[in-house]
Amino acid sequence: DLSDPQSRANQLGGKFLDLRAAFSFETEGSVASGATAQTAAQLNETIYRNYETTGNKTSKVDINLKLLVRLPRWTEVAKASPAARKEWNRMLEALKAHEEKHAELARTWVPTFQERLLGIGEGKVAAKHKSTLDEVDKATKKYDAESQHGQNEGVSLDRTIP
């Protein structure tokens, strides 16, 4: 997590010493289903709900999932050795794959939102939506804990490369 000064990514040494300062986050690439790419950087997910009611109960529920992935960009990559660039690109691909798993996890929750929000009283929609969002957040945190924020999926840099 590059926003955490104590994270491994921010404690890199050697030729990657200036890496953190050279990071900028920009939308880069895209993942399946038209969502924008994401990374060890930042994933913003927003799950919107629209519904119609009949007799004070939800009769139609539409769920819209917006995923925005911001990947780190090494602005000084051109100054790095070919081996360091190769290592950076390897890590970035692993990071994209890790973030795609986050996106897929969010996508799997769409039917759950629809099930839970359909047929309930209009006054209960906001609370049920919030409690389901909390479950999505918990599942996301569990995945990050299991994958060590992608480190056991290759989201790390070899600092020994010249």
Side-chain angles (χ1 to χ4, degrees):
D1 178 1
L2 297 170
S3 64
D4 177 3
Q6 300 303 314
S7 73
R8 180 136 170 90
N10 284 327
Q11 295 175 5
L12 296 173
K15 67 177 170 341
F16 291 115
L17 188 59
D18 296 325
L19 189 60
R20 186 183 74 165
F23 276 141
S24 69
F25 291 100
E26 294 182 6
T27 301
E28 181 176 306
S30 63
V31 293
S33 303
T36 309
Q38 155 200 356
T39 62
Q42 305 164 340
L43 165 64
N44 297 321
E45 62 184 46
T46 307
I47 302 174
Y48 297 102
R49 68 185 187 281
N50 293 311
Y51 60 91
E52 295 175 10
T53 59
T54 303
N56 199 30
K57 298 249 186 213
T58 55
S59 56
K60 180 180 178 187
V61 176
D62 292 319
I63 302 297
N64 297 301
L65 177 62
K66 178 182 176 184
L67 299 172
L68 174 65
V69 179
R70 295 188 183 273
L71 297 169
R73 188 169 152 237
W74 186 7
T75 58
E76 302 292 322
V77 70
K79 296 178 182 177
S81 71
R85 285 194 303 269
K86 183 178 179 182
E87 173 62 2
W88 169 258
N89 290 332
R90 183 210 55 78
M91 183 281 303
L92 193 58
E93 287 304 312
L95 182 56
K96 287 177 184 178
H98 174 79
E99 296 304 332
E100 174 55 29
K101 288 179 185 176
H102 276 292
E104 186 56 34
L105 180 65
R107 287 184 199 103
T108 65
W109 278 87
V110 170
T112 301
F113 275 94
Q114 289 172 318
E115 284 176 20
R116 291 181 180 179
L117 298 178
L118 189 62
I120 65 173
E122 188 172 10
K124 296 180 180 181
V125 171
K128 183 60 78 173
H129 184 259
K130 166 95 172 71
S131 67
T132 306
L133 281 175
D134 291 345
E135 288 182 61
V136 172
D137 185 55
K138 184 178 177 181
T140 297
K141 287 177 179 174
K142 180 181 179 206
Y143 168 60
D144 270 336
E146 290 170 352
S147 69
Q148 295 180 334
H149 293 272
Q151 284 189 356
N152 62 13
E153 299 169 323
V155 182
S156 61
L157 288 169
D158 181 350
R159 299 182 300 155
T160 65
I161 296 173

